[in-house]
């Protein structure tokens, strides 16, 4: 595993970040969260972002999602500089290129498992293919739970639905923020097996923030952050 910022030879980078700085103004002055991050991540890679609390790993992931504005620098995803997009254009870009899995699931409580998985297709204006969603439900082992609401599902089942929802649109990039943080170890391992298998089948690049060293070691590559910079870069 390497923290090097260059992509593996023979692969085209899906993500290229150049000299990313993120600062926030507080009553005490400017707080510098990211301080000159440059990296490239190849298409299809599984990358773990690790580091102590406050190191900037979640901020970096949110910047990749266009959910955290950068103070300076550029982030290109699939050849598009997302730091130069309007809010509406960013929303469209996320819809078409990103899937996101959060620690706390973030399912729509008033929607069934089927409806939650189908939601990205509806938002994209695509006709929902029932067979496609049913196949996703089968892949995550919840075919019999298709009409259950999130409150009727266990934490592991909810995260399975979240993974399927993130991948139903076959995005080139999946961002995962502590996806096993609310789960026991056995269930968490099952979720990661599922996430990696499904993403791998679609050649979806995975960038995952995690405090779990064992989980990070399952990635193709580890990027370690400390005090807003990449260690060893």
């Amino acid at each position: 595993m390497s923290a090097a910022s260059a992509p593996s030879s023979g692969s085209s980078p899906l993500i290229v970040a150049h000299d990313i700085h993120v600062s926030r103004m507080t009553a005490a002055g400017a707080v510098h969260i990211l301080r000159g991050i440059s990296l490239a991540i190849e298409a299809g890679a599984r990358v773990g972002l690790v580091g102590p609390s406050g190191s900037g790993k979640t901020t970096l992931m949110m910047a990749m999602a266009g959910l955290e504005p950068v103070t300076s620098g550029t982030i290109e995803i699939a050849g598009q500089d997302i730091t130069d997009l309007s809010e509406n254009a960013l929303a469209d870009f996320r819809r078409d290129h990103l899937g996101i899995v959060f620690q706390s699931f973030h399912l729509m409580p008033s929607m069934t498992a089927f409806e939650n998985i189908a939601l990205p297709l509806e938002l994209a204006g695509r006709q929902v293919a029932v067979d496609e969603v049913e196949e996703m439900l089968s892949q995550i082992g919840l075919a019999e739970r298709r009409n259950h609401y999130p409150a009727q599902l266990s934490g592991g089942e909810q995260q399975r639905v979240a993974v399927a929802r993130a991948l139903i649109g076959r995005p080139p990039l999946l961002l995962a923020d502590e996806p096993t943080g609310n789960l026991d170890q056995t269930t968490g391992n099952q979720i990661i097996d599922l996430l990696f298998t499904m993403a791998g089948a679609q050649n979806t690049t995975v960038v995952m923030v995690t405090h779990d060293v064992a989980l990070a070691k399952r990635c193709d590559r580890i990027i370690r952050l400390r005090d807003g910079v990449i260690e060893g870069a």
Side-chain angles (χ1 to χ4, degrees):
M1 305 300 172
S2 172
S5 59
S8 299
S9 60
S11 298
S12 299
L14 178 75
I15 305 169
V16 179
H18 177 68
D19 199 24
I20 294 297
H21 290 256
V22 173
S23 301
R24 293 179 185 150
M25 291 303 300
T26 69
V31 176
H32 303 292
I33 302 170
L34 298 180
R35 300 184 292 121
I37 297 286
S38 293
L39 57 81
I41 296 174
E42 62 271 25
R46 302 186 301 199
V47 177
L49 294 181
V50 303
S53 295
S55 61
K57 55 189 182 297
T58 295
T59 298
L60 177 57
M61 193 187 80
M62 289 295 101
M64 290 179 184
L67 295 170
E68 177 70 52
V70 303
T71 306
S72 63
T74 59
I75 300 176
E76 292 186 9
I77 298 177
Q80 172 68 60
D81 181 0
I82 67 169
T83 57
D84 205 28
L85 296 179
S86 67
E87 284 300 319
N88 287 340
L90 269 174
D92 290 343
F93 185 85
R94 281 192 294 268
R95 179 195 66 200
D96 296 336
H97 292 81
L98 302 184
I100 305 179
V101 177
F102 297 97
Q103 177 176 342
S104 299
F105 320 136
H106 289 302
L107 300 179
M108 298 297 290
S110 61
M111 292 184 171
T112 65
F114 181 99
E115 291 166 340
N116 265 285
I117 294 171
L119 183 59
L121 302 179
E122 294 180 355
L123 293 176
R126 289 174 52 186
Q127 182 176 358
V128 175
V130 173
D131 289 349
E132 186 177 2
V133 181
E134 295 283 8
E135 173 60 26
M136 273 288 190
L137 282 161
S138 294
Q139 286 185 48
I140 64 174
L142 293 178
E144 302 302 317
R145 311 276 275 171
R146 70 185 302 281
N147 294 321
H148 286 64
Y149 294 92
Q152 298 172 309
L153 301 174
S154 69
E157 288 171 337
Q158 289 185 64
Q159 196 65 307
R160 286 173 178 270
V161 173
V163 169
R165 180 183 62 182
L167 291 171
I168 187 71
R170 305 184 70 85
L173 175 60
L174 175 67
L175 302 175
D177 187 13
E178 297 282 5
T180 64
N182 283 341
L183 306 172
D184 63 74
Q185 185 172 2
T186 298
T187 303
N189 286 337
Q190 292 170 349
I191 292 297
I192 294 305
D193 288 343
L194 178 72
L195 189 153
F196 282 166
T197 297
M198 294 177 71
Q202 298 180 181
N203 197 38
T204 294
T205 303
V206 177
V207 177
M208 178 169 52
V209 169
T210 183
H211 283 95
D212 187 332
V213 174
L215 174 52
K217 287 181 177 178
R218 296 185 60 182
C219 295
D220 303 319
R221 177 175 164 208
I222 297 173
I223 297 175
R224 294 181 173 87
L225 274 73
R226 183 177 294 275
D227 296 327
V229 299
I230 296 176
E231 288 189 327

